[in-house]
């Protein structure tokens, strides 16, 4: 959970350069940091180390690695290797090729710097480092490494639709860490179509909003905040709240 020699080495290097040039976080410490999301201070490092030791007592290495892969950052607002695989390559993580898997494996070290859709050259260089390490560990052959390293950084991003935008933004505002809504997307689509149809008989300076609530549960099952969310003037104003 904690690597004392790496910690001493990183401390010496950082003091020598007068800035942070090296870290000593183990995978368990990184999991602890990602779960708690503390500011990066000396006291936080001690807490991370303590949490890492707890993790090591409670869970095995495979479980810790699985947790890391499920919560690690992969650029933008992407969290978790499965989401990253679907977003960058439109496939499940289990279906990635060697070059694709190596690219994603190296991405969490610095998601902004190695983000493949913005910095493909840096992503390719980081991928090459991962492949060399895999070869050194005996996980792949030299031929496999050379073939994977020659592959271009070819992305196939998954197309996304912004469903129920006003309702989604409202839910995210109230629960920033995510969760589930009670929206019925089939009904949501029907309501959106009804709004689009009815808006044609309204004057241009009039807006409308719809909220559909299930009587038995009180659940909001459909919500439309304006006639067109994409309208630049006031389409993103949620009329259901205004």
């Amino acid at each position: 959970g904690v690597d004392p020699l790496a910690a001493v080495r990183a401390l010496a290097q950082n003091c020598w350069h007068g800035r942070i040039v090296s870290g000593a976080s183990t995978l368990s410490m990184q999991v602890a940091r990602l779960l708690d999301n503390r500011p990066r201070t000396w006291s936080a490092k001690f807490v991370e180390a303590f949490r890492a030791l707890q993790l090591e007592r409670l869970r095995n290495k495979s479980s810790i690695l699985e947790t890391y892969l499920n919560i690690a950052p992969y650029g933008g607002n992407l969290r978790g290797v499965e989401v990253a695989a679907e977003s960058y390559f439109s496939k499940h993580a289990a279906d990635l090729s060697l070059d694709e898997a190596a690219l994603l494996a190296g991405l969490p070290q610095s998601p902004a710097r190695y983000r493949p859709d913005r910095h493909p050259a840096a992503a390719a260089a980081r991928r090459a480092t991962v492949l060399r390490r895999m070869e050194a560990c005996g996980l792949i052959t030299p031929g496999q490494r050379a073939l994977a390293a020659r592959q271009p950084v070819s992305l196939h991003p998954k197309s996304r639709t912004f469903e129920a935008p006003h309702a989604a933004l409202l839910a995210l505002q109230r629960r920033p860490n995510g969760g589930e809504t009670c929206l019925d997307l089939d009904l949501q689509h029907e309501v959106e179509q009804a709004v689009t149809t009815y808006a044609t008989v309204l004057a241009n300076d009039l807006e409308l909003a719809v909220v559909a609530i299930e009587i038995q549960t009180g659940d909001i099952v459909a919500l439309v905040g304006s006639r067109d969310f994409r309208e630049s003037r006031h389409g993103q104003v949620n009329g259901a709240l205004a």
Side-chain angles (χ1 to χ4, degrees):
V2 178
D3 187 341
L5 293 178
V8 172
R9 182 211 68 220
L11 179 61
Q13 289 179 336
N14 295 338
C15 290
W16 177 262
H17 290 88
R19 58 187 176 88
I20 297 177
V21 296
S22 177
S25 292
T26 63
L27 198 67
S28 299
M29 290 178 66
Q30 292 184 51
V31 169
R33 177 171 59 83
L34 289 168
L35 288 174
D36 290 341
N37 195 26
R38 302 178 190 278
R40 305 187 74 171
T41 61
W42 285 107
S43 60
K45 278 294 180 185
F46 285 113
V47 174
E48 288 170 17
F50 177 72
R51 294 297 186 200
L53 295 175
Q54 288 183 313
L55 270 175
E56 292 284 336
R57 289 183 62 87
L58 296 173
R59 305 172 69 175
N60 59 39
K61 292 288 190 182
S62 295
S63 177
I64 294 173
L65 175 60
E66 181 180 354
T67 300
Y68 173 78
L69 291 173
N70 284 332
I71 63 176
Y74 287 88
N77 62 348
L78 301 180
R79 292 291 183 273
V81 69
E82 181 70 14
V83 172
E86 292 186 355
S87 297
Y88 290 127
F89 302 112
S90 295
K91 60 175 70 174
H92 294 296
D95 299 325
L96 293 171
S97 63
L98 175 58
D99 62 288
E100 293 167 343
L103 187 146
L104 291 188
L107 191 51
Q109 186 193 52
S110 182
R113 189 192 314 168
Y114 300 130
R115 186 169 164 176
D117 56 341
R118 294 185 177 180
H119 309 288
R126 176 63 180 156
R127 180 186 64 183
T129 300
V130 173
L131 290 169
R132 286 193 297 270
R133 181 63 178 158
M134 292 178 72
E135 180 188 355
C137 291
L139 300 173
I140 58 176
T141 65
Q144 288 176 312
R145 179 200 58 76
L147 179 61
R150 287 198 301 267
Q151 300 303 313
V153 177
S154 180
L155 304 180
H156 304 282
K158 185 177 182 180
S159 60
R160 296 181 177 274
T161 56
F162 194 1
E163 297 276 15
H166 287 107
L169 291 174
L170 176 62
L172 187 61
Q173 179 185 14
R174 296 190 175 183
R175 190 177 294 178
N177 293 326
E180 295 184 0
T181 72
C182 45
L183 290 179
D184 180 339
L185 278 183
D186 291 334
L187 180 60
Q188 175 73 24
H189 295 156
E190 289 185 34
V191 172
E192 289 174 354
Q193 184 58 49
V195 166
T196 300
T197 301
Y198 187 70
T200 60
V201 303
L202 293 179
N204 290 333
D205 59 343
L206 294 181
E207 273 293 351
L208 70 159
V210 180
V211 180
I213 299 176
E214 189 175 59
I215 298 297
Q216 291 84 352
T217 62
D219 291 344
I220 295 177
V221 290
L223 188 151
V224 177
S226 68
R227 64 167 79 192
D228 184 1
F229 181 82
R230 295 164 298 179
E231 198 275 321
S232 59
R233 186 180 176 194
H234 41 59
Q236 293 181 26
V237 176
N238 189 341
L241 298 180

